[in-house]
Amino acid sequence: MKPGITEFIRTPEGRALEYFHEGEDEFLQTQTGIKYPIYKEIICVLDNISLTGNNENYQKMYDRFSMFYDFTTKIYARFKSGNEKNRLLQYLSLLDIKNGDKVIEISIGTGRNIKYLNPDAEFYGIDISLGMLRQCQKKMKRLMREITLIQAEAESLPIKDDSFDVVFSAGGFNFFNNPGKAVIEMLRIAKSGTKILITDETEKLRLKYNKNDFYKASEIKNPVTYLPDSCRNIEYKEICDGDLYVLTFNKP
Ligand SMILES: C[S@@+](CC[C@H](N)C(=O)[O-])C[C@H]1O[C@@H](n2cnc3c(N)ncnc32)[C@H](O)[C@@H]1O
């Protein structure tokens, strides 16, 4: 476990946690007595039983699909943009990551973005699916990249306020039960002035899918509508031939 993690890891309700080792590694919330397990170094701060709606459905879907995710996304990116790196760099190049920065990806999945980012930063990843996080962990070991992984909901980030220099989410936002709440959470855990980036598929792409009876996705709202008025430098654009939107903004 990364030294110093207890300084900023919290329960989903924002209470402090203590590292606890009695047979197994765990975090303990001393007032409530609730223990949060650490499964193969992944910190699980999620009440699986209370998951509902999209969060419950997509957790199950991604747990099952996790082993095939990298293969299928690589094939899709090759078909769409020639190669995966070109496609991902269209949004990752908008992040400015300095040496030593604390960087967090919300809905990190298998961590396919991380290998294209400054290796001299400190990385953290959150996802609702333990299956995806396990794949991510194996990949990071192969790449010899250090990362701290946390299983949690984007709508209740178990992180202390003002903790991160870079906050981003790629490909999860349209799935969240409550995207507005996730934006408020990303702003809360970002340090003042931090650039936040959100990218996902556009409504245009969804409509293309929906012509196909096999795939019916629900409506995608323009993500700008979720931003509080206080956000600065709001920029929205479409990339990858209009398949993806990228929204960037700064915490005041
Ligand atoms: C399409 S994948 C994107 C993974 C990765 N960011 C990438 O670019 O390849 C979507 C991810 O969002 C995660 N996810 C869905 N809803 C979530 C939620 N409410 N909170 C956290 N993660 C969520 C899924 O488990 C899945 O790993």
Side-chain angles (χ1 to χ4, degrees), residues 117-144:
L117 301 176
N118 181 355
D120 294 320
E122 199 179 306
F123 286 95
Y124 296 80
I126 290 214
D127 202 281
I128 206 167
S129 156
L130 195 55
M132 294 293 268
L133 290 171
R134 283 286 289 146
Q135 294 299 323
C136 180
Q137 188 179 49
K138 287 179 194 161
K139 184 190 297 165
M140 294 303 129
K141 285 199 172 140
R142 277 198 307 274
L143 296 170
M144 296 200 290

Side-chain angles (χ1 to χ4, degrees), residues 40-201:
K40 296 187 192 274
E41 294 179 27
I42 298 172
I43 305 166
C44 303
V45 193
L46 180 70
D47 179 6
N48 280 297
I49 300 179
S50 64
L51 286 187
T52 57
N54 276 356
N55 289 6
E56 185 184 14
N57 295 337
Y58 286 118
Q59 185 202 50
K60 281 192 193 133
M61 186 189 100
Y62 277 102
D63 274 344
R64 281 194 211 113
F65 182 57
S66 59
M67 285 212 301
F68 313 104
Y69 181 81
D70 280 356
F71 177 73
T72 47
T73 49
K74 216 171 255 170
I75 300 287
Y76 181 75
R78 221 173 264 174
F79 162 70
K80 283 287 208 174
S81 315
N83 78 44
E84 185 174 58
K85 185 176 176 186
N86 288 348
R87 192 168 174 89
L88 303 188
L89 284 181
Q90 288 193 45
Y91 57 82
L92 294 177
S93 60
L94 302 175
L95 293 172
D96 174 25
I97 302 180
K98 297 180 197 67
N99 291 357
D101 272 357
K102 265 169 100 172
V103 180
I104 189 161
E105 180 173 359
I106 312 300
S107 68
I108 188 170
T110 60
R112 70 187 176 131
N113 296 305
I114 304 299
K115 72 174 170 203
Y116 302 114
L117 301 176
N118 181 355
D120 294 320
E122 199 179 306
F123 286 95
Y124 296 80
I126 290 214
D127 202 281
I128 206 167
S129 156
L130 195 55
M132 294 293 268
L133 290 171
R134 283 286 289 146
Q135 294 299 323
C136 180
Q137 188 179 49
K138 287 179 194 161
K139 184 190 297 165
M140 294 303 129
K141 285 199 172 140
R142 277 198 307 274
L143 296 170
M144 296 200 290
R145 299 281 301 247
E146 235 186 78
I147 192 161
T148 300
L149 297 173
I150 305 165
Q151 188 194 24
E153 280 177 289
E155 294 91 337
S156 313
L157 297 174
I159 306 280
K160 192 178 140 192
D161 299 357
D162 309 310
S163 295
F164 284 90
D165 302 290
V166 178
V167 179
F168 74 102
S169 177
F173 196 73
N174 295 343
F175 293 133
F176 298 163
N177 261 357
N178 190 337
K181 195 161 176 226
V183 167
I184 302 298
E185 282 293 87
M186 285 189 231
L187 282 161
R188 182 182 66 72
I189 67 164
K191 292 180 187 167
S192 175
T194 287
K195 186 192 224 184
I196 298 172
L197 180 149
I198 298 172
T199 177
D200 209 337
E201 295 178 343

